[in-house]
Amino acid sequence: MDSPLKIRKEDQILEVVLDRPKANAIDLKTSRLMGDVFTDFRDDPDLRVAIITGAGEKFFCPGWDLKAAADGDAVDGDYGKGGFGGLQELRGLNKPVIAAVNGICCGGGLELALSADIILAAEHAEFALPEIRSGTVADAASIKLPKRIPYHIAMEMLLTGRWIDTQEAARWGMINHVHPAGQLMQEAWTLARLLASGPPLVYAAIKEVVREAEAMTFQDAMNRITKSQFETVETLYRSEDQLEGAKAFAEKRDPVWKGR
């Protein structure tokens, strides 16, 4: 049986394509596979950036596979490492992740996209949280979306399940950029190569600080930095890359980042 994930590794970049016809919905098996893939990405020093996208041009991901649920997959079953889709609860993921939304992105699929750091979308993509119509809650989106876009817009999406297009999603800051469908993956790889050329230890520090500071006051977060309580920040300050950045600036050349 073909794998529901198509994996490509190139130039320190991991591309993960969700490929489950007809809609790229995620069942328990696929979620566990995604968890393994993204855990390996997190732990592989040779990989610096990941791209997650869907196969085809119609669906990025509609979320939970209702047909699999009807066949016995429990909605509260074992999603594997990182929770649903392998990303939204994956601890210690200190590398950039790009979501390239190639089509319909709704429910758990939108929650998956929100787990990325940067979201690119094809012009025809659409977004929604339709769980309300089936009498359930978009749990991760209820936590994340009101922190990402204006509260009232997030609540309207959660409470009504209405769809928004890419232009509205971009207007509210839910996605970064909109591209023609035929250019989406080219743009995603261009961005991924730019990130892969950057300082991985700095990325790690940024992601840890942003993640941990979300539940802190500004001063508490700053105190943790000055008291050497962020592991990634301390690793950065004692690294070869920290010295390389200063030397490259002084010597007016591009730095060579080694991630150590």
Side-chain angles (χ1 to χ4, degrees):
M1 183 177 179
D2 290 343
S3 171
L5 304 178
K6 306 303 182 195
I7 307 298
R8 173 185 172 191
K9 297 178 182 180
E10 182 181 317
D11 298 335
Q12 298 176 306
I13 298 165
L14 170 71
E15 180 187 82
V16 181
V17 180
L18 181 57
D19 187 7
R20 291 195 73 232
K22 300 179 178 179
N24 296 333
I26 297 175
D27 62 358
L28 289 179
K29 178 183 177 182
T30 302
S31 183
R32 290 193 288 266
L33 285 172
M34 295 174 76
D36 290 340
V37 167
F38 286 116
T39 299
D40 289 345
F41 163 70
R42 179 194 66 188
D43 298 338
D44 188 341
D46 293 327
L47 292 173
R48 295 188 178 183
V49 183
I51 301 170
I52 175 70
T53 190
E57 293 189 356
K58 187 173 182 181
F59 291 97
F60 171 72
C61 176
W64 179 238
D65 187 340
L66 295 178
K67 290 184 178 179
D71 290 337
D73 265 13
V75 69
D76 59 350
D78 178 12
Y79 291 116
K81 302 168 186 173
F84 182 80
L87 274 178
Q88 62 188 16
E89 298 176 66
L90 186 58
R91 295 185 178 184
L93 179 53
N94 291 328
K95 300 176 181 180
V97 178
I98 300 166
V101 178
N102 55 299
I104 290 172
C105 178
C106 63
L110 179 51
E111 292 174 332
L112 177 62
L114 290 172
S115 299
D117 301 296
I118 297 174
I119 304 176
L120 310 182
E123 289 175 327
H124 66 281
E126 297 178 282
F127 306 84
L129 294 166
E131 283 87 345
I132 189 72
R133 298 174 184 174
S134 58
T136 189
V137 61
D139 45 15
S142 296
I143 297 168
K144 290 183 177 182
L145 196 60
K147 297 178 180 179
R148 307 289 183 83
I149 66 175
Y151 172 85
H152 298 99
I153 305 303
M155 292 303 291
E156 181 185 14
M157 291 184 67
L158 287 161
L159 294 172
T160 70
R162 83 172 179 93
W163 290 80
I164 65 174
D165 61 19
T166 52
Q167 297 304 316
E168 184 174 0
R171 185 164 74 248
W172 299 126
M174 193 170 77
I175 63 176
N176 296 80
H177 303 289
V178 180
H179 299 290
Q183 297 177 20
L184 177 64
M185 293 313 298
Q186 176 184 335
E187 296 292 342
W189 272 86
T190 296
L191 177 58
R193 290 189 177 100
L194 173 64
L195 293 173
S197 70
L201 295 183
V202 178
Y203 294 156
I206 289 170
K207 288 203 63 172
E208 184 185 22
V209 170
V210 169
R211 183 174 61 244
E212 297 298 320
E214 189 173 29
M216 300 180 191
T217 66
F218 170 80
Q219 196 58 57
D220 285 345
M222 289 301 297
N223 289 343
R224 280 196 62 181
I225 293 174
T226 57
K227 292 178 182 178
S228 303
Q229 294 177 342
F230 283 113
E231 181 180 353
T232 55
V233 176
E234 289 309 297
T235 297
L236 170 65
Y237 287 165
R238 289 161 175 74
S239 68
E240 291 181 32
D241 278 1
Q242 181 78 12
L243 294 174
E244 168 63 10
K247 288 180 180 179
F249 180 82
E251 296 169 4
K252 297 181 181 181
R253 60 173 175 81
D254 292 333
V256 178
W257 307 117
K258 297 180 179 178
R260 61 176 188 267

